[in-house]
Amino acid sequence: MREMTYIGAIQAGMEQVLREDPSVVVFGQDVGGFGGAFKATEGLQKQFGEDRVFDTPICESAMLGLALGLASQGMRPIVEMQFADFATTAIHQLLNNAGTMHYRTGVSASMTVRAPCGGGMGGGPFHSEELEAIFCHMPGIKVVYPATSADARGLLLAAVQDPDPVIFLENKYLYRREKQLLPKHGDPVPIGQASVVRNGYDACVLTYGAMVPETLHAASHLSAEENYEVMVVDLRSLKPYDEETIIAAVAATSRVLIVHEGWRTCGFGAELAALIAEKAFHLLDAPVRRVTAPDVPVPFARELEDVYRPHADTIAQALIELIEF
Amino acid sequence: MREMTYIGAIQAGMEQVLREDPSVVVFGQDVGGFGGAFKATEGLQKQFGEDRVFDTPICESAMLGLALGLASQGMRPIVEMQFADFATTAIHQLLNNAGTMHYRTGVSASMTVRAPCGGGMGGGPFHSEELEAIFCHMPGIKVVYPATSADARGLLLAAVQDPDPVIFLENKYLYRREKQLLPKHGDPVPIGQASVVRNGYDACVLTYGAMVPETLHAASHLSAEENYEVMVVDLRSLKPYDEETIIAAVAATSRVLIVHEGWRTCGFGAELAALIAEKAFHLLDAPVRRVTAPDVPVPFARELEDVYRPHADTIAQALIELIEF
Amino acid sequence: MWTDDIAAKVAAVDAAVWSRMLELMVLSRKTDERLIKLYHQGAIRGSVFASIGQEAIGAAAVLNSAADDLFAPCIRDLPVHLGRGYSPVDIFRQALGKTAGPTRGRDGNIHYGNPGGGVYAMISHLGAMLSVLAGGVMARRRRREKTIGFAFLGDGATSTGDFHEAMNLIAVRDIPVLVIIENNHYAYSTPTHRQYRCENLVDRALGYGVDGLLIDGNNPGEVYITMKDIVEDIRSRPRPFLLECDTMRMRGHGEHDSFAYAVPRLIQKYTRRDPIRMAVRGMKSAGLITDEVYEALEKRVEAEVREASRQALAEPGPDPATLCDGVYTDA
Amino acid sequence: MWTDDIAAKVAAVDAAVWSRMLELMVLSRKTDERLIKLYHQGAIRGSVFASIGQEAIGAAAVLNSAADDLFAPCIRDLPVHLGRGYSPVDIFRQALGKTAGPTRGRDGNIHYGNPGGGVYAMISHLGAMLSVLAGGVMARRRRREKTIGFAFLGDGATSTGDFHEAMNLIAVRDIPVLVIIENNHYAYSTPTHRQYRCENLVDRALGYGVDGLLIDGNNPGEVYITMKDIVEDIRSRPRPFLLECDTMRMRGHGEHDSFAYAVPRLIQKYTRRDPIRMAVRGMKSAGLITDEVYEALEKRVEAEVREASRQALAEPGPDPATLCDGVYTDA
Ligand SMILES: Cc1ncc(C[n+]2csc(CCOP(=O)(O)OP(=O)(O)O)c2C)c(N)n1
Ligand SMILES: Cc1ncc(C[n+]2csc(CCOP(=O)(O)OP(=O)(O)O)c2C)c(N)n1
Ligand SMILES: [Mg+2]
Ligand SMILES: [Mg+2]
């Protein structure tokens, strides 16, 4: 067992698949000798050679196309977007190309797109985006979003093994803040399974990414201060999402709060609320609430970003209102 | 008064703004002498000259950037995407560039992006997409989607007058199917106002685009055959959407069906359902249902596309289930 | 290097190659003509995008390819599909949206490929397939060494960011792809002078640090022999090559397009330079074919194509119940 | 045309231009040095991206521009901001996220512009601003005729699809933009040989059908005089021009970057060729400056910059209640 940070777990996951599966390659901007903008690929080129871990020019569309081409011939590429934000220059390669290949031609494309996302560190409008709602709208694409070191490694292993394109969202705020003791060898965490990270009966929170620890803080606080016990569900997989666990959480609590760091309108939380309004309506005792970022470009200054991102206290406040509704 | 098709109304709207406002220019692929892939700009270059109506190379990102640059200096560009689907190559120019300009720099960008969308005519996966959920997720961007000739012209006029970037979604299926008698001179239809196109009390349908006529068919059928009276709300504007009219419709009917032609997961319908689950929960007598396309690339063959797209009969069926819930 | 003494080299092309090339071009032409007829009869949804007048390019590429090579055809490359494993019945199935077709009715017209024959199915977004092909070539060369790629793009597609990103990437990584620009004077209605400002598109080769050449894309012998040299070269010394082929789109963009904007002089010029005509002329002067033999070929192919279209028309379309199958591999 | 007798032309640059250029470069350098200090003191969120070593390029562009011209600066163009209307206090406000700053704390570091000075605020997505600038120039020329654009891109940014689409578009439409590539040997950690395969990036000019030139971007006189000729030319005969400036990034990509990958030989070479040093040397040999005058300038600027940073530090950050204001024009 050793302590692994969230980003260390991602690095360990890549190291493991590179070692165990010769069809894995890793590429992206500055991922080689430099080890990536966040050092997630540090040491990998040295260990596995330029053939397996390599730099590309600045060309997100060609990078994603290259990954799709590699995958179409049985390789298992892992491509790093330097920031998720830059994937917006090449949405067609995901939505139209990777996402439709199996449906149209029967050829599987096992590719993993690593996309560092999220704010909280003054990245400003172009280095902090949360684009999961856009990615989850694409047929043929899977989307995962770990909140812990264990899940980061496990979902990365699962993404690489998965026969289809998986967008692996990794939260920059958690990179060095999340740590866990983990065994040397990782096992895949199945895609599509949520995890109940705290039990409770007064309400449940459906969340993911950096909002999982924020929510857990809020829940402990409410338990200690208000005697409210809140269930917290870490979705982990956003597409497909774990309908069964979600419905069970609603059934157990009758009150639902959805929390995410992305924009509100047409955000991923809307899908969760719609699911519940359709399939768990009769289980509800209160309106389904969303705590999200407002529809505003991610601001740079701390004063603004602090109110832009949901925090434990905003979440706790919303929970109190929901429970006392 | 003269009869105008939906596409004729779009053309008339462009003709009017080109005539009345010298700061308007129209450009895109093949929009000049050829009059555009769908003939929406037919005759405009002849009338207004190559300076005002011009062809570009195939470069969606540079086209949108050019529009933003023109707008930033007080022009009012209208840029045509040959198909909405191709805007996926340049999402960053909308989401990151146009959508953030005013917030970051205080400079308004009055630009209109015309994006022909929707299926029903065998366009296949790359010429039929409905991408409104992606566009509506972008802070700083407005999105309109007319269903009638009058709204097509009126919303186009409003979009061009609007100080901010507006994505004007136009439905190809309606291009020559929708017709209305309209006065020669058009007036803007305010952005942000839905229209109740049929009254009823047993349930309401929230919809837009090509699903408006389908829903109206379903509603007449139910009225004639089942004695059910269904209210139909044509949203017209998707961002901002008309919360007041939506909530009033829910209050009047207590049963809500959401219908759209785009994909289900993280589709625009999810946002509507979430809004209702949060703000109109206590008004509901039944779960909020969505009738949408499945999460599948838009198929080409008629046999598949016919079941892919919602139709009057699937809508009627869903309404019966909802009303009899 | 590529330009010297093409004539002599063309003369040295052997009889078997000539006749395979001619047959492939005729097969493509007749299939296109049939597709056009079906479209105007209302049997085909959407539109039909013909390769007529550009057949020499795809045919020559196919004849210079090895079994393990990979292709990324674009709009006007019916000979590639027909030369890499599909027969006319597959093409009709595709256009008609039949279950037994390459995309099982899920996509139409030119958006199909043949994985078994190393042919990628293009997406519409022009330029997007070049990097995909590059990835495929990269993957295969890790296993089998000798694979090269053949990419096809129109003049209009060169304006896309995707073309540029992929060209630059394959140049930096020495990925052996023969990038073929079929410059057919138009991108939909847009003539080349509104598409680019350089003299010739091959002028872009320098900016990527790759070799390039401009050839007469309607001269089957020249296309064949030039590609032969390039293919041998990049197969042994892996790197991209930019080959611009001058040609002409002889029909509207699609059959829905009246083509009213076409400059008559261009149509006349390229009618005289029709690649099938040129092949027949060359073969005749070399004593490789007679009018009778050619007419017999045409007849045979016409019959084959008619029969294929009849067969495809009679086949069933997809079962609506399969709509959601296969969006993911295991579902 | 641009290369002949540069030396004589440089000698002819008048004293006023020389001293304005020197002052602007020194102001930029000292502002950068202060930003770096503030960053390492923990006062600045995110990172700091310095223009150090590349100041001649932005300064020369500013000095060759007219009031109505438009700019699209990129990562290393602090002299453009300082030369087109901002003073150091604005730069510190931007870096510190202060309300009175160019983006009012909504964006940080290099993502700002000055609409009043004709300077666009870049978005991060490299290459995306070239077409925006083109649109701005197009709009202004419809009204005032003489506007031209100055676009700045790094070597790495030339690999993006956006660079290509915009270059091709402005070439086709004859939009007068001086496209300046600041080739500083690295894109983040990536050296140019992994970024492109052509000899020089200016080799791309041919493929767009535009004129191009490669110059020594660290030689202020050469940069100034070359731009002067180009600017006069494209202002009267509107069309783009591609100008590659050889230079060197003298610090890490941002101040968070240790720059461990830097090749020492390059650092040494370009330290000797520092543009401020070169300007001082040139001015001294022309009798335009003395060591004492230069030192006094440095001191004065240092004091000005120190005072500006002190002022900005003392200012308030944005009011959280304004978070949602101004996403749209009327809201
Ligand atoms: C990115 C993108 N934008 C627009 C289109 C619409 N479109 C389809 S074909 C075409 C013209 C293509 O011209 P060219 O590349 O010269 O090929 P040709 O049809 O002449 O063979 C256009 C504009 C597209 N397919 N992709
Ligand atoms: C489309 C896009 N992809 C990735 C990045 C991340 N990124 C920011 S700066 C940079 C390197 C830029 O290099 P260059 O253009 O040479 O400019 P320099 O920093 O050398 O001045 C990268 C990769 C980006 N900004 N935009
Ligand atoms: Mg063409
Ligand atoms: Mg650089």
Side-chain angles (χ1 to χ4, degrees), chain A residues 146-190:
Chain A
T148 65
S149 301
D151 286 343
R153 183 169 65 177
L155 285 168
L156 186 82
L157 298 176
V160 173
Q161 278 177 13
D162 196 275
D164 295 309
V166 180
I167 298 178
F168 182 89
L169 301 173
E170 43 190 70
N171 189 281
K172 302 190 293 289
Y173 191 83
L174 301 181
Y175 270 167
R176 286 163 224 287
R177 286 181 177 83
E178 278 299 314
K179 297 184 188 85
Q180 270 178 315
L181 273 182
L182 296 178
K184 200 167 163 352
H185 187 272
D187 288 315
V189 167

Side-chain angles (χ1 to χ4, degrees), chain D residues 145-163:
Chain D
E145 266 127 74
K146 288 299 180 191
T147 297
I148 64 167
F150 294 81
F152 299 77
L153 299 108
D155 42 286
T158 64
S159 300
T160 63
D162 276 11
F163 169 73

Side-chain angles (χ1 to χ4, degrees), chain C residues 22-36:
Chain C
L22 180 65
E23 180 145 356
L24 190 49
M25 292 196 293
V26 172
L27 185 64
S28 175
R29 177 73 54 92
K30 297 294 169 196
T31 304
D32 261 339
E33 286 170 357
R34 194 87 207 160
L35 286 168
I36 291 168

Side-chain angles (χ1 to χ4, degrees), chain D residues 288-318:
Chain D
L288 297 175
I289 203 170
T290 62
D291 280 339
E292 294 68 48
V293 172
Y294 177 66
E295 274 157 31
L297 168 68
E298 269 200 318
K299 283 234 174 63
R300 175 169 58 74
V301 171
E302 246 162 39
E304 177 192 343
V305 162
R306 202 179 319 114
E307 178 48 35
S309 82
R310 205 174 291 149
Q311 183 187 332
L313 277 164
E315 288 183 2

Side-chain angles (χ1 to χ4, degrees), chain D residues 155 184 186-187:
Chain D
D155 42 286
N184 63 4
Y186 288 98

